[in-house]
Amino acid sequence: MDPDVRAGHPATASRQPHPVSAVLLVAHGSRSPEGQQEMLAFGRLLAAAAPEVPVATGFLELCQPPADQALDDLVAAGATQVAVLPLMLAPADHTKSDVPAVVLLGRRRHPTVQLLPARPLGTDLAVLATAAARLHEAGATGLPLCLVARGTSDPEANAEAYRAARLLAEANRSRLVEVGFAGVTWPTTTEALERLVAQGAREIVCLAWFLSTGLLVQRIWQDCAAFSRARGLPVRAAGHLGPDPRLGPLLRDRLEEALAGRATMTCDVCAYRAPFPGLEDRLGHPLGVGRSHLAATHRHHHHP
């Protein structure tokens, strides 16, 4: 018997190799070469954390290879069981629609292969610890905090950014905290910074709540720099999360949840599950309704 099992360490015991043949990380994609490389680096993190499982990374848009092609390549290489893991933070449209479409279409193309969905990384302690480290590295402990997330039309995902901001403010001892979004919804980065100044902030730290860099992250720093010049007020850029080693074990945890059939998401206010005020048309919407090429393929398949 494994000595750690004898010693009564169930977490260690759960790390035993699983009969999964492979894992597919599904990333959004980016036009930024640096962002693309960071997404691929997450695959290497998972490969190091789960060396017994082959890892491939595919993209929903903007990058190669597409997620469906990466899945096909795993199957062609002999995979008979694949965990499909969203390389994303929040349960937004891509996670709720496009990534499930990867699974759904994959099952149709490969009916003898078992495809197991995993949940996104979410506001996990490992993610918060990584974000807190970025603030510490910026010398920003205790400073008023502006957390800027991607922004989406999904109310649940936007609300999750506020939850993350409050948790991170607690960890960073920031008595002032505001949330901004890089696109789609409100408030903007600049509006969030203005709110902090209105509350008395004289110096601000800004953190991009993104797993990898890209054009949106670059826009956040441009907005911060323009605000700082216009206001004459320092705004420290604490960066983004990035492929930090702290996140390797979390990726493995998400993989193991999928293998155990425990990959569930909180759906209490999901607009696809129950009527959300103002978004009633989303109720029961078919999978694959997002903006990626994968979603377009799925729509065409069902709505010729």
Side-chain angles (χ1 to χ4, degrees):
M1 180 181 292
D2 189 303
D4 287 312
V5 177
R6 289 198 305 269
H9 297 293
T12 305
S14 68
R15 299 298 188 184
Q16 298 304 308
H18 291 281
V20 66
S21 299
V23 57
L24 173 65
L25 277 181
V26 181
H28 178 272
S30 173
R31 291 185 177 89
S32 163
E34 183 182 355
Q36 295 173 24
Q37 290 305 311
E38 286 189 339
M39 293 178 208
L40 294 173
F42 277 98
R44 294 192 290 273
L45 280 181
L46 178 54
E52 74 279 8
V53 180
V55 177
T57 302
F59 302 92
L60 291 176
E61 54 188 346
L62 303 176
C63 298
Q64 296 294 325
D68 48 2
Q69 179 184 321
L71 174 59
D72 292 347
D73 291 345
L74 286 172
V75 174
T80 59
Q81 186 183 51
V82 181
V84 181
L85 200 166
L87 186 56
M88 300 167 188
L89 284 171
D93 290 344
H94 285 309
T95 301
K96 294 176 178 178
S97 183
D98 291 333
V99 177
V102 175
V103 175
L104 195 66
L105 293 176
R107 286 171 177 167
R108 289 174 180 156
R109 292 195 310 277
H110 308 291
T112 62
V113 176
Q114 185 181 21
L115 299 182
L116 304 167
R119 66 183 173 117
L121 300 189
T123 309
D124 184 271
L125 279 174
V127 178
L128 289 169
T130 303
R134 297 290 169 267
L135 295 175
H136 178 74
E137 291 160 5
T141 301
L143 284 183
L145 169 64
C146 179
L147 181 145
V148 183
R150 181 182 183 86
T152 172
S153 62
D154 188 289
E156 186 178 20
N158 294 334
E160 187 65 17
Y162 281 85
R163 176 173 178 265
R166 175 65 197 211
L167 289 168
L168 188 56
E170 296 272 1
N172 194 56
R173 302 197 297 278
S174 297
R175 297 297 297 269
L176 298 178
V177 57
E178 289 288 341
V179 173
F181 295 97
V184 182
T185 192
W186 79 93
T188 66
T189 302
T190 301
E191 289 169 342
L193 293 170
E194 289 284 5
R195 291 181 180 186
L196 286 169
V197 172
Q199 295 173 68
R202 294 297 174 260
E203 185 176 3
I204 298 170
V205 61
C206 185
L207 177 93
W209 190 247
F210 285 68
L211 284 173
S212 58
T213 191
L215 299 183
L216 289 179
V217 173
Q218 294 168 16
R219 186 186 304 164
I220 292 169
W221 306 134
Q222 291 168 0
D223 290 345
C224 286
F227 177 86
S228 181
R229 289 193 300 270
R231 279 287 198 164
L233 183 148
V235 179
R236 299 193 192 190
H240 60 284
L241 295 168
D244 191 280
R246 297 174 184 85
L247 301 178
L250 174 58
L251 289 166
R252 173 150 189 157
D253 286 345
R254 293 292 179 265
L255 166 62
E256 292 184 345
E257 287 177 355
L259 299 177
R262 295 185 285 105
T264 59
M265 290 194 295
T266 300
C267 295
D268 292 342
V269 291
C270 176
Y272 295 100
R273 184 192 67 84
F276 189 93
L279 297 174
E280 291 86 355
D281 61 331
R282 293 192 179 189
L283 178 62
H285 219 301
L287 294 174
V289 297
R291 295 182 296 277
S292 73
H293 66 269
L294 211 254
T297 299
H298 185 81
R299 286 197 302 272
H300 178 74
H301 184 83
H302 284 283
H303 306 283

